[in-house]
Amino acid sequence: MDLKTAAALRRLRLVSAPEAISFLLLLVCSVLKRTTDFNAVPVMGMVHGVLFVLYVIFWADAWNRAKWSLGTGALYFVLSVLPTGGFFAERRLKREAEDAVIASRARQEGVVNA
């Protein structure tokens, strides 16, 4: 894995958890808006919207650079629209990055011919 691909996966990973948190907070704010006088939906909506747009941009970049299959790319997109999906995406991306580092080290040491 080259540095640009690793950086794209890292960006996607770093934005996935905050995007999931903002989605959950937006849901809480929506409930509070309907049950109390507290209305933070406009602010949380904007925060979540910005994080979601960043996630989609970083997702497209990672998909292009990592050469994911259609299924893998679709999985990461579907995880972005589920309330807690960003946490699962972050965990999978972390594991994928760790596996890539292990494979790279194995290639450098001549253990694997890949």
Side-chain angles (χ1 to χ4, degrees):
M1 177 180 303
D2 64 341
L3 287 176
K4 290 185 178 186
T5 303
L9 293 175
R10 187 175 192 318
R11 281 191 302 267
L12 181 60
R13 188 178 137 232
L14 289 177
V15 80
S16 63
E19 191 271 336
I21 291 169
S22 71
F23 194 179
L24 292 174
L25 287 175
L26 180 60
L27 292 174
V28 169
C29 289
S30 295
V31 170
L32 289 175
K33 176 183 176 184
R34 285 159 179 75
T35 58
T36 67
D37 291 333
F38 184 74
N39 185 10
V41 171
V43 173
M44 278 312 303
M46 182 187 68
V47 169
H48 175 66
V50 167
L51 288 171
F52 180 74
V53 168
L54 283 174
Y55 184 96
V56 170
I57 290 169
F58 294 157
W59 165 78
D61 185 39
W63 188 4
N64 182 40
R65 291 187 188 278
K67 306 294 187 222
W68 287 331
S69 67
L70 180 62
T72 302
L75 172 69
Y76 283 119
F77 186 78
V78 167
L79 287 175
S80 75
V81 297
L82 297 175
T84 58
F87 299 120
F88 295 108
E90 192 273 335
R91 191 176 316 162
R92 281 184 60 113
L93 287 164
K94 183 177 181 182
R95 192 173 328 124
E96 187 174 328
E98 289 170 350
D99 291 346
V101 168
I102 291 169
S104 175
R105 288 182 181 160
R107 274 192 302 263
Q108 285 176 349
E109 294 175 4
V111 176
V112 178
N113 292 332

